[in-house]
Amino acid sequence: MNVNEMIPGAKLDITVMSHSGVEQKPVYVSQLEEVLKDGSIVIDAPIHEGKLIPISTGSMIKVCFLHPKGFFSFKGEIALRTKRDNILVLKVKIIGNIHKIQRREYFRFECLMSVRFRVVKSEGKDNSDDSWNEALIRDISGGGMGLLTNKPYHINDFIEIEFNLDGISMKSKSKIVRCLLYDQDSSKYDVGISFQGMNTKDRDNIIKFIFERQRKLRQKGLV
């Protein structure tokens, strides 16, 4: 991706790097103001727990952001701190390339939401007439989910699931890859599923949902 494809107003996650290149917590929230002709960018000074974070000149940072083409990341150096209309902004020199983050790099986001599903293929049999079951999503990623169910299911069974994320209805065929007794409640089962053949639009909507929920938690200082 080229820096000129970045969109002013895009929300950014900023991680400050130590002198040895280790990412430091917490992750801050910022916004892209402008892409400059020299290939550098201007961003708002990041915010954490409602306070501006004045990152010093010369600091190395990692920037992650959502774009219509996917999720991207790059490293940069704070080249200048200045003000625009009494707002503190940072000029960032981009170091290296802007690269697309592979979906496997997205971690699972813990949440509790309802989902319904039915087994459609088990032990070589077509069970498409099986009734729908209710469960809870306990975590979600771009590649699958962890479910809490009332009974166990067979690994390698295929299921059809339907769920809703912020008003967007989704449906996917999935494969059961894990089924264990839930360690926090012996009446429940921890069932891991992997999405099979999910379309790119739905997968990107899931990743966007995770990205935005994380951002809200960071703004509240909860992560």
Side-chain angles (χ1 to χ4, degrees):
M1 179 181 182
N2 188 288
V3 63
N4 292 315
E5 296 180 73
M6 294 184 69
I7 302 170
K11 303 300 181 183
L12 311 173
D13 279 356
I14 307 295
T15 306
V16 179
M17 314 288 288
S18 70
H19 293 298
S20 58
V22 177
E23 296 178 21
Q24 305 293 298
K25 291 186 178 181
V27 178
Y28 302 125
V29 177
S30 182
Q31 177 173 294
L32 177 65
E33 289 292 333
E34 183 183 3
V35 177
L36 302 177
K37 292 182 180 179
D38 64 2
S40 59
I41 61 174
V42 177
I43 67 173
D44 292 340
I47 297 173
H48 182 64
E49 296 183 352
K51 297 180 180 179
L52 286 175
I53 307 299
I55 303 174
S56 59
T57 302
S59 296
M60 296 296 297
I61 61 173
K62 178 181 177 181
V63 179
C64 296
F65 63 97
L66 174 66
H67 186 273
K69 292 184 177 180
F71 291 78
F72 293 84
S73 175
F74 63 88
K75 292 182 179 179
E77 179 182 355
I78 305 300
L80 179 68
R81 289 171 53 189
T82 186
K83 283 190 176 183
R84 286 186 175 182
D85 299 324
N86 291 321
I87 297 174
L88 181 63
V89 296
L90 308 173
K91 180 181 178 181
V92 180
K93 177 183 177 182
I94 296 176
I95 308 296
N97 296 321
I98 301 174
H99 66 275
K100 191 171 186 178
I101 302 174
Q102 298 301 313
R103 287 192 175 97
R104 65 176 178 268
E105 294 180 44
Y106 291 116
F107 63 88
R108 290 184 175 270
F109 179 74
E110 293 184 359
C111 57
L112 281 178
M113 296 181 293
S114 61
V115 63
R116 74 174 196 149
F117 70 95
R118 61 177 178 172
V119 177
V120 294
K121 189 174 182 181
S122 174
E123 299 178 349
K125 299 179 181 179
D126 184 352
N127 299 324
S128 59
D129 291 331
D130 275 9
S131 60
W132 289 90
N133 302 282
E134 299 291 330
L136 283 177
I137 302 171
R138 66 182 297 248
D139 59 53
I140 185 170
S141 75
M145 293 179 178
L147 303 179
L148 292 180
T149 66
N150 293 321
K151 65 180 183 179
Y153 291 87
H154 297 292
I155 293 176
N156 294 326
D157 279 2
F158 285 89
I159 66 172
E160 180 182 357
I161 63 169
E162 293 182 351
F163 58 101
N164 187 290
L165 291 182
D166 287 346
I168 301 174
S169 297
M170 298 188 190
K171 180 187 294 186
S172 175
K173 186 177 181 181
S174 301
K175 183 179 181 180
I176 295 177
V177 296
R178 180 186 72 250
C179 184
L180 301 169
L181 194 64
Y182 186 41
D183 56 6
Q184 297 182 34
D185 184 346
S186 59
S187 69
K188 302 288 185 182
Y189 291 85
D190 176 7
V191 177
I193 66 170
S194 172
F195 299 137
Q196 304 291 305
M198 176 175 280
N199 65 63
T200 300
K201 181 179 178 181
D202 281 349
R203 196 185 301 272
D204 285 344
N205 279 331
I206 291 172
I207 297 170
K208 182 178 180 180
F209 166 83
I210 295 170
F211 190 85
E212 294 300 332
R213 286 295 177 94
Q214 280 184 285
R215 182 183 307 283
K216 290 177 182 178
L217 290 175
R218 286 170 184 153
Q219 287 176 329
K220 295 177 181 179
L222 298 178
V223 294

